[in-house]
Amino acid sequence: MGKAKMNNYLLLLTATLLINSSAFAQKFDQLAPSPPMGWNSWNKFGCDVSEELIMGIADAMVSSGMKDAGYEYIVIDDCWQVGRDESGDIIVDEDRFPHGMKYLADYMHSKGFKFGIYSCAGTKTCQGRPGGRGYEFQDARTYARWGVDYLKYDWCYTTTQDPQASYELMRDALYKAGRPVVFSLCEWGQSKPWEWARDVGHLWRTTGDIVDRWDAMMAIFDAQKELARYAGPGHWNDPDMLEVGNGGMTTEEYRTHFSLWCVLAAPLMAGNDLRNMNEETRGILTNKEMIAVNQDTLGRQAFCFRDNGDYEIWVKKLANEEKTVCLLNRSDESKTVELNIPVLLKASDHYWSSDPYELKDYTMRDLWSHKNIDTGEEITEVTLAPHSVKVYRFIKK
Ligand code: GLA
């Protein structure tokens, strides 16, 4: 081969390789500009999932006001799948889902919801059902055919698999299948997905599973402290789904759990039985002022401004130079604390400088009492019940 010919050949080869490797080496953009909101079956129902349950939840989402508050994705977690047929297609549990998944997806879409499903990067799911390993492209095509909008992808039975490569493979498979899907990585934070998953998925679990207990919830919260800088529009840290309403914490503790997830800009996936929830639970999950903080367009995760041991101050910057401050009393006793309001308003994550905001330009609002606070006294005392929060928003006048 002559030199010129050889050069042309190499050029063509490089171009072909580039096109092939980049054609679908990306996630779907613009799908999660704010943290995804919805419901997932796992925390309350485990493997006890069915068409009847999921349709009932969708109906309850509407009648309870959850849909109106912004909850959108309805996700079936583990145990909907029972095997693979001779051509490798995944088989849905026919007893529990008699009309199949497309029917369910259509129902969700007809009610204005998006439909989510669960699988796993390993050979089996965490409950021992068939996993996605080796079937990534085939499964992605199946999900697209059914009308799936959200995929939670777990990390059981992965033996020596490389996490990044495994999740990239499924990302590429979803992209190739052509139907936009929110990709939720459930790798439990083991390989620090916040360092590599920004271009792979829209959210990634940062820890192991949540348990419906105060100390377990707080341990997960504590693990988010150093991760604020990794979150932003389209790519969120996921401290796991909500336990609000599942019975293992007090109403006050659930209000704290929900508030912390809101200021963390965490995905808000309810995990309780929406068909039977009491007024307290409903009130927490549908607090629109708290949800607005979570969904704020700036997409910042709160940082810890002061850690005084039992008592902490967390600050979430919002769009339009607004700010939310969350006071947290993690102790078993009530606490009275002195607040210097102008200092809170200026609180910044850049320790060498503070925000130049002046109190006169803001209204301070309590997001649980839904009342404005009189900031005439710049230093004020606040009493926090055990395991409780106060959440304030500084609203531009
Ligand atoms: C793992 C995940 C959970 C849930 C179960 C299902 O434990 O972390 O969120 O999906 O698997 O088996």
Side-chain angles (χ1 to χ4, degrees), residues 42-88:
W42 183 254
N43 283 356
K44 172 73 183 174
F45 297 96
C47 270
D48 195 11
V49 288
S50 67
E51 174 184 295
E52 192 192 348
L53 168 71
I54 305 301
M55 288 168 80
I57 291 290
D59 296 344
M61 275 265 206
V62 177
S63 59
S64 63
M66 294 275 290
K67 179 170 188 285
D68 183 50
Y71 294 85
E72 186 180 19
Y73 292 92
I74 298 186
V75 182
I76 311 176
D77 209 280
D78 209 344
C79 301
W80 57 266
Q81 62 285 73
V82 288
R84 291 195 182 271
D85 65 17
E86 66 280 3
S87 53

Side-chain angles (χ1 to χ4, degrees), residues 85-127:
D85 65 17
E86 66 280 3
S87 53
D89 282 339
I90 193 85
I91 303 172
V92 178
D93 184 335
E94 270 182 25
D95 295 334
R96 288 172 172 268
F97 297 91
H99 298 92
M101 287 301 170
K102 171 132 187 20
Y103 172 84
L104 207 45
D106 288 347
Y107 185 81
M108 296 300 142
H109 295 149
S110 76
K111 297 260 164 184
F113 293 114
K114 296 209 163 107
F115 179 57
I117 215 162
Y118 161 102
S119 187
C120 183
T123 49
K124 294 181 186 173
T125 72
C126 294
Q127 298 304 311

Side-chain angles (χ1 to χ4, degrees), residues 153-222:
Y153 214 48
D154 217 335
W155 190 240
C156 282
Y157 295 95
T158 46
T159 60
T160 58
Q161 281 175 239
D162 175 70
Q164 184 171 351
S166 301
Y167 282 102
E168 282 177 354
L169 184 63
M170 195 60 203
R171 169 201 64 187
D172 295 349
L174 292 170
Y175 200 77
K176 179 114 197 287
R179 181 181 173 88
V181 171
V182 170
F183 192 30
S184 157
L185 278 58
C186 181
E187 175 273 0
W188 319 310
Q190 289 176 354
S191 71
K192 302 189 174 167
W194 46 90
E195 288 180 353
W196 54 260
R198 187 187 165 119
D199 297 324
V200 181
H202 302 91
L203 57 156
W204 50 79
R205 281 274 296 279
T206 54
T207 65
D209 290 6
I210 194 167
V211 177
D212 186 17
R213 275 199 332 257
W214 167 258
D215 55 345
M217 184 275 288
M218 287 305 289
I220 287 192
F221 173 68
D222 288 339

